[in-house]
Amino acid sequence: MNELYSLFSEELNKNLPELGGEGKNVMTRGVGGSASSVKLQLNYIPIVLDLDYYRNPRSSDNPMGDYKAAYRLFTLADGASRLTPYFERECSVSIIWRNIVSCASTVSQYVANALVEAQNVLRSSQMSGLGGVPENWYLVNAIPSNWHDLVQDKNNLTRIEFDAQNVSDSSGWNVNHSDLVALDKESSLDKISLDVLNVEFVRPWLSMDLLDLPWKINGLKQGFFSAGDKESNNGAFPLITRSMLIGTNLSLEGRFTSRDMNLLSAADENLSIGPFAVKTAQNPAEIKQEKDKILVTSNTTQVVGFTSWHVPLCPQM
């Protein structure tokens, strides 16, 4: 993993132990009621959010809320990654879960009953046609539910800071999510700071206990979805997305040449460095000269990464 991402991950794990990132050995009652470690993966390119799109979502505790806001949260939560250095959306949690409960079979009456119950819950939770969305989708609750309001107050957030002076392999500037421009050789990035909020996902229609029970799917080998190995797992569904990390109030401190300053101040361009969104066409960064250094600040709200539960051996038969 790029050094800039690694340093940020280390600081997240130090300051937010509830993430249970790799190397922290933090355990949670995540999958099947058994202790399951959690994997932290940063986005290679940050996801910029418009908070107004997520306000007042329909949810279990807000039955009169907005369907469209709920659907937007569902799309954020529904992507699942493989065991890759960065979070890469490879599959849909809801589609794989629907296929599992529809196709699984077992010789155990207890497990058979659990499968029928899971099918009934999933069927009754379908939101197809609601919010103007024709395909099947499902409510996902967020904890805290008012995260879109909390993230606007620094008192609710955790400040993450790290020294970037010795970063030798910074990924440089990413312009408009496509063009990678190396930091000028005469520029230097000294310190990076970001306020972070961890927002957990709750899926009332997904029974995590079922993943730990003995069932099979005809035509699929044992471990097709997950080999259960936290280090090496080529399964189709090795991780279930658990939470997203919302970042805002970014601060970059350093010395930047005129070429890099032009990138930072260019209008109508999106600019990021590593997992950090520096500015968007709609939300430019603020640039200040402080003695012999330059301070770049941005209040762009972004998803910098996700945490996921490791899925146990699945299917077991």
Side-chain angles (χ1 to χ4, degrees):
M1 183 189 294
N2 182 290
E3 191 174 353
L4 190 62
Y5 294 81
S6 296
L7 287 171
F8 184 44
S9 292
E10 290 174 8
E11 291 303 316
L12 285 169
N13 283 323
K14 287 178 187 176
N15 293 277
L16 294 170
E18 68 270 22
L19 297 185
E22 300 285 56
K24 295 298 290 184
N25 199 30
V26 176
M27 309 300 281
T28 182
R29 310 302 287 186
V31 176
S34 59
S36 173
S37 65
V38 174
K39 184 173 181 62
L40 167 64
Q41 294 169 298
L42 299 178
N43 290 324
Y44 185 70
I45 297 176
I47 301 171
V48 174
L49 299 181
D50 183 339
L51 293 176
D52 288 338
Y53 283 10
Y54 301 91
R55 295 190 192 283
N56 189 36
R58 188 180 180 91
S59 64
S60 299
D61 59 357
N62 186 24
M64 302 303 292
D66 181 41
Y67 282 113
K68 289 185 178 179
Y71 175 72
R72 293 179 185 123
L73 179 61
F74 164 76
T75 58
L76 274 180
D78 198 48
S81 178
R82 301 284 181 91
L83 288 180
T84 48
Y86 308 104
F87 186 90
E88 299 175 10
R89 180 175 177 139
E90 294 284 348
C91 61
S92 159
V93 174
S94 61
I95 289 177
I96 287 188
W97 179 251
R98 186 165 68 242
N99 289 337
I100 287 175
V101 300
S102 299
C103 302
S105 62
T106 181
V107 296
S108 164
Q109 186 60 51
Y110 174 81
V111 179
N113 289 343
L115 284 168
V116 170
E117 177 64 20
Q119 292 168 4
N120 292 336
V121 170
L122 188 65
R123 190 179 302 111
S124 65
S125 300
Q126 287 182 359
M127 308 294 285
S128 54
L130 298 175
V133 181
E135 69 265 20
N136 288 331
W137 64 281
Y138 307 87
L139 288 181
V140 174
N141 298 326
I143 299 178
S145 60
N146 60 337
W147 62 272
H148 35 74
D149 295 325
L150 295 178
V151 77
Q152 295 184 299
D153 184 347
K154 288 185 177 182
N155 293 322
N156 301 316
L157 311 177
T158 300
R159 190 68 171 170
I160 306 295
E161 298 182 344
F162 64 94
D163 185 348
Q165 287 182 338
N166 298 319
V167 173
S168 59
D169 61 346
S170 170
S171 57
W173 308 108
N174 191 298
V175 182
N176 293 328
H177 311 307
S178 58
D179 299 326
L180 195 62
V181 180
L183 197 69
D184 195 295
K185 291 182 179 179
E186 300 302 317
S187 293
S188 64
L189 184 58
D190 298 335
K191 188 170 77 171
I192 299 177
S193 307
L194 186 76
D195 290 333
V196 176
L197 178 69
N198 184 44
V199 181
E200 295 195 11
F201 301 131
V202 178
R203 304 174 179 87
W205 40 269
L206 193 154
S207 172
M208 312 237 345
D209 286 340
L210 195 58
L211 295 174
D212 246 350
L213 296 177
W215 47 265
K216 67 177 182 177
I217 294 179
N218 290 335
L220 298 186
K221 64 181 180 179
Q222 181 189 54
F224 173 82
F225 294 110
S226 174
D229 191 321
K230 297 169 186 175
E231 303 298 329
S232 177
N233 192 337
N234 293 322
F237 190 46
L239 299 169
I240 295 180
T241 313
R242 168 184 179 257
S243 71
M244 62 179 173
L245 297 173
I246 305 296
T248 190
N249 303 321
L250 174 69
S251 172
L252 305 178
E253 185 178 306
R255 299 170 180 83
F256 303 106
T257 63
S258 58
R259 193 215 68 174
D260 286 334
M261 288 295 290
N262 287 336
L263 284 173
L264 287 164
S265 57
D268 300 325
E269 285 189 347
N270 299 306
L271 188 72
S272 62
I273 184 166
F276 310 108
V278 180
K279 72 182 188 73
T280 67
Q282 296 75 31
N283 192 11
E286 186 174 325
I287 303 173
K288 293 181 180 178
Q289 181 77 46
E290 293 190 348
K291 296 182 180 179
D292 61 337
K293 294 186 179 181
I294 293 173
L295 181 65
V296 181
T297 57
S298 169
N299 63 359
T300 297
T301 303
Q302 54 196 285
V303 180
V304 293
F306 295 86
T307 69
S308 302
W309 283 301
H310 286 277
V311 175
L313 177 64
C314 177
Q316 296 183 10
M317 302 168 60

